[in-house]
Amino acid sequence: MRDAQRRLSLNSKTVDRLSLDEVVELAADTGLEAVGLWRDRVQEAGVEQAARRVRGAGLRVSSLCRGGFLTASSPDGVRAALDDNERALDEAAALGAPELVMVVGGLPEGDRDLVAARHRVAERLDALAPLALARGVRLALEPLHPMFAADRAVLSTLEQALDLAAAHPPAAVGVVVDTFHVFWDPAAEESVARAGREGRISSYQVCDFNLPIAADALLSRGMMGDGVIDFAHWSAAVASAGYTGDVEVEIFNAEVWARDPDQVVREMKERYAALVAPHLAAEAPQPV
Amino acid sequence: MRDAQRRLSLNSKTVDRLSLDEVVELAADTGLEAVGLWRDRVQEAGVEQAARRVRGAGLRVSSLCRGGFLTASSPDGVRAALDDNERALDEAAALGAPELVMVVGGLPEGDRDLVAARHRVAERLDALAPLALARGVRLALEPLHPMFAADRAVLSTLEQALDLAAAHPPAAVGVVVDTFHVFWDPAAEESVARAGREGRISSYQVCDFNLPIAADALLSRGMMGDGVIDFAHWSAAVASAGYTGDVEVEIFNAEVWARDPDQVVREMKERYAALVAPHLAAEAPQPV
C-alpha cells in the first residue's frame, strides 16, 4: 500500500488556464508525483515533447482525458470516432498513461433513442478494445451524472459501465469512479465492490458536487468539502474494493479557474489530506 | 382500456398562476376529465370547497401533489413530517384523489449521509403506510432525477422506489413514473415492467427534458416534443406494464408559465395526442 498522500494526482482541468509545461512544473514544485492530462494541453505541447517534460519532472501520468464520443450513427461519424480514439490511444501510450478516460458521447442531434445509442457504444468498444490491448492502454469507461445522459454521455451508471466492460478483458476495458458522477446512485457502492472483484477500477476521481447546480451544470464540480459528497464513504468503498492506484482531482468550476493556480493546488492537497487520504488506508488484514 | 385521450390529466403546476377555480374551469372547458392538484392551490381554496368544485365540474383528481420530505433527523422534524403527511392524506381522501405523490426530501443542512437519509425515509413510510391504507389513498413514491438527490429527493431510481415499496402492500405504497426523472436510466424499462407486475404504478407523468438545463434546474421540464425524451418508448413501456390510469402533464418551466394558460393547455392536448396517446393503446391480445 502506497502512502495515500503520494497517490494524489493533479488533473490538468483543475488548473485549466495553465499550459502543459506549467501544469507539470506546478505539480512537481508542490511535491506531487502524478498528473492527469487532457488531450488539448498535450496536443498544444506536442505529444513527444509532453512525454519528455512529464518524464523529466519525474511524474506519472495517471490518465489521459479523454477519448470516447462513440455514439455517431453515420458511417463517416463512426469512422471519425474510431480514428480519433486510435490517435488518443497512441497519445496515451506515448505518455505512459495506463488509462484513457472515455466519455462515450450523447445523442446525435435530433435523435431521442438512448437504447440505440448505447448499443452503438458497445459496437465501437468491440472495435477499440483490441487496439487498446495492443498498446497496453486501458479504455476507462466513465459513467457521467444522469444530467448529461442526453448530450454528453449515454453511459450513466457504474453498473451499466461494468455490463459494457464485461464483454472485454479487464486489461482492455475498465471503469472510472468519479465521485461527482456516482455519489447519488443507491447502487454505486455495490458496483464499486463489483468493479474491484472484476479488476476494472481504472481511476478514482474526486471532486465535490456543489449546490445550487451552476448555470452551466458542467461547472458544478467543486473542491472537496465545498459540496454535498461524503468522501469518507466513497474513498473507503474504493479502498475496500482493492484500488491502490492514483486519485485524480478534476474540477470544472469557473471560480476555481479564476483563482491563483498555486493556491488551488495547495488547497487541493490540504482538502485531500483531510477528507480523502485517511479513508484510502484500508489494508487487507495482515497474517498473524 | 379507456380511450387514451380521455386519460389526459392537467397538473395544476403546468398552469401555475391559475387559482384552483381557474384550473378546474380551464380543464372542464377544454374537455379534460382529470386534474392533478398541488396542495398550495387546494389549501388556498379550502379543501372542502376544492372538492366540491372538482366534483361539480365532473372531474377526477388523478393525484394530489405532494407529500414527503421525510428525511429530517431531529425528533421535532420527524414529528412535523408525519403530521404534515397525515394532513396531506386527509386532503387527498377529501378530494377523492387515489394517489398522494411523495417527494421524499433531500439531505438535512450540512449532512452528507445519503445512506442514513434513505434509511429514515423507509422508517417514516413504516409509520405512514397504515394511515394511507386506512384512508384508501396510496403513497406514490416519486424517484426524482439524480440532480436533485442531495437537496430534494434522496430517492433517485425506480428500482430504489420499488425496493422501498416492497415492505408494504401495493394498495399502500406505489411509484410514480415521470419521464423527466427516469428517461436517462438504463434500468428503468425493466423497473417499469417490475412495477406493473407488482401492481405499483401509481401515476404516469409526462413532460420533456429540455436542454440546455435551465439555470434553475427544476425548471428544465418542457412541453412534450421540446426536449430529448422518446415518449413512444416510455408510453409503450408503461402500457405494456398494464397501466391504464390517468396520464398527468406536469411542467415546471418559466416560459410555459409566462404564456396564456389556454394556449398552453391546447398545445398540451395536441402534443399528448401526437406523441403520447398513440403509444398507450397496447392491449392484451384478444382471444381468437
Side-chain angles (χ1 to χ4, degrees):
Chain A
M1 165 67 65
R2 286 189 286 142
D3 176 349
Q5 201 63 26
R6 297 179 60 185
R7 296 164 61 186
L8 173 59
S9 175
L10 172 65
N11 185 290
S12 64
K13 209 66 181 175
T14 302
V15 288
D16 197 42
R17 62 178 139 130
L18 299 190
S19 68
L20 187 282
D21 279 4
E22 290 169 332
V23 172
V24 168
E25 187 178 337
L26 177 54
D29 284 355
T30 51
L32 299 177
E33 299 185 6
V35 288
L37 298 178
W38 276 59
R39 293 179 70 197
D40 53 355
R41 291 288 170 272
V42 169
Q43 290 170 353
E44 285 163 13
V47 178
E48 294 306 326
Q49 170 67 8
R52 273 194 298 274
R53 285 285 294 144
V54 172
R55 275 197 302 273
L59 296 170
R60 300 182 296 278
V61 180
S62 46
S63 77
L64 180 65
C65 304
R66 60 197 182 174
F69 298 93
L70 304 174
T71 53
S73 48
S74 69
D76 283 357
V78 171
R79 188 69 254 159
L82 292 176
D83 288 349
D84 187 58
N85 279 283
E86 187 166 3
R87 278 193 298 275
L89 286 166
D90 286 337
E91 292 166 14
L95 290 162
E99 311 282 348
L100 174 64
V101 174
M102 302 287 284
V103 172
V104 303
L107 293 169
E109 182 68 30
D111 188 336
R112 291 179 171 87
D113 190 344
L114 283 170
V115 175
R118 287 163 173 160
H119 184 68
R120 292 195 295 277
V121 171
E123 290 178 335
R124 298 298 89 76
L125 288 176
D126 289 344
L128 290 170
L131 307 182
L133 272 180
R135 286 160 180 81
V137 174
R138 180 153 64 170
L139 302 165
L141 299 177
E142 183 164 25
L144 256 54
H145 192 288
M147 63 187 160
F148 307 121
D151 61 350
R152 195 160 300 265
V154 297
L155 187 57
S156 304
T157 66
L158 276 174
E159 182 178 29
Q160 185 192 4
L162 288 165
D163 289 348
L164 260 180
H168 306 283
V173 183
V175 301
V176 177
V177 179
D178 181 310
T179 52
F180 178 91
H181 294 306
V182 310
F183 83 99
W184 61 270
D185 183 356
E189 193 173 351
E190 168 50 30
S191 291
V192 168
R194 175 184 163 194
R197 286 194 304 274
E198 297 179 357
R200 303 247 186 215
I201 304 181
S202 288
S203 177
Y204 178 44
Q205 299 192 343
V206 293
C207 79
D208 219 326
F209 189 96
N210 283 358
L211 284 177
I213 294 170
D216 177 351
L218 276 175
L219 305 186
S220 284
R221 296 174 72 96
M223 186 63 75
M224 297 80 78
D226 287 352
V228 297
I229 292 179
D230 181 349
F231 289 99
H233 177 83
W234 293 108
S235 300
V238 167
S240 295
Y243 182 69
T244 56
D246 290 322
V247 181
E248 281 189 30
V249 175
E250 183 188 45
I251 301 176
F252 296 51
N253 181 307
E255 287 172 32
V256 169
W257 289 342
R259 290 170 53 194
D260 172 15
D262 288 46
Q263 288 186 357
V264 168
V265 171
R266 194 174 316 128
E267 185 175 73
M268 175 188 85
K269 289 183 69 173
E270 291 166 2
R271 297 287 184 93
Y272 175 82
L275 298 171
V276 178
H279 309 284
L280 288 172
E283 291 201 60
Q286 297 300 308
V288 288
Chain B
M1 165 66 63
R2 285 188 287 142
D3 175 350
Q5 200 64 26
R6 298 178 59 185
R7 296 165 61 187
L8 174 59
S9 175
L10 172 64
N11 185 290
S12 63
K13 210 65 181 175
T14 301
V15 287
D16 196 43
R17 61 179 140 128
L18 299 190
S19 68
L20 186 283
D21 279 2
E22 291 168 334
V23 172
V24 167
E25 187 179 334
L26 178 54
D29 284 354
T30 50
L32 300 178
E33 300 185 6
V35 288
L37 298 179
W38 275 60
R39 293 180 70 197
D40 52 356
R41 292 288 170 272
V42 170
Q43 290 170 353
E44 285 163 13
V47 178
E48 293 307 327
Q49 169 67 9
R52 272 193 299 273
R53 285 284 295 142
V54 171
R55 275 197 304 271
L59 296 171
R60 299 182 297 277
V61 181
S62 47
S63 77
L64 180 66
C65 302
R66 57 193 186 175
F69 298 94
L70 304 174
T71 52
S73 48
S74 69
D76 284 355
V78 170
R79 189 68 253 161
L82 292 177
D83 288 349
D84 187 58
N85 280 282
E86 188 166 3
R87 277 192 299 274
L89 286 166
D90 286 337
E91 292 165 15
L95 290 162
E99 310 282 347
L100 174 65
V101 174
M102 302 287 285
V103 171
V104 304
L107 293 168
E109 182 67 29
D111 188 336
R112 292 180 172 86
D113 190 344
L114 283 171
V115 176
R118 287 164 172 161
H119 185 67
R120 290 195 297 277
V121 170
E123 290 179 334
R124 298 298 89 75
L125 288 177
D126 289 343
L128 290 170
L131 306 182
L133 271 181
R135 287 161 179 81
V137 174
R138 179 151 68 169
L139 302 166
L141 298 177
E142 182 163 22
L144 257 54
H145 192 288
M147 62 185 161
F148 306 121
D151 62 350
R152 195 159 299 263
V154 298
L155 187 57
S156 304
T157 66
L158 276 174
E159 182 178 30
Q160 185 193 3
L162 288 166
D163 289 348
L164 260 180
H168 306 283
V173 183
V175 301
V176 177
V177 179
D178 181 312
T179 52
F180 178 91
H181 294 308
V182 310
F183 83 98
W184 60 270
D185 182 356
E189 193 172 351
E190 167 51 28
S191 292
V192 168
R194 175 184 163 196
R197 287 195 303 275
E198 298 179 356
R200 304 246 186 216
I201 304 181
S202 289
S203 178
Y204 177 45
Q205 300 192 342
V206 293
C207 79
D208 220 326
F209 189 97
N210 283 359
L211 285 177
I213 295 170
D216 176 351
L218 277 176
L219 305 187
S220 284
R221 296 174 72 96
M223 186 62 75
M224 299 79 77
D226 286 352
V228 297
I229 292 179
D230 181 349
F231 289 98
H233 177 83
W234 293 108
S235 301
V238 167
S240 295
Y243 182 70
T244 57
D246 291 322
V247 181
E248 281 189 31
V249 175
E250 182 187 44
I251 301 177
F252 296 52
N253 180 309
E255 288 172 32
V256 170
W257 289 341
R259 290 171 52 195
D260 172 14
D262 287 47
Q263 288 186 357
V264 169
V265 171
R266 193 174 316 130
E267 184 174 74
M268 175 188 85
K269 288 183 69 173
E270 292 166 1
R271 298 287 184 92
Y272 175 82
L275 298 172
V276 179
H279 309 285
L280 288 171
E283 291 200 59
Q286 298 299 310
V288 287

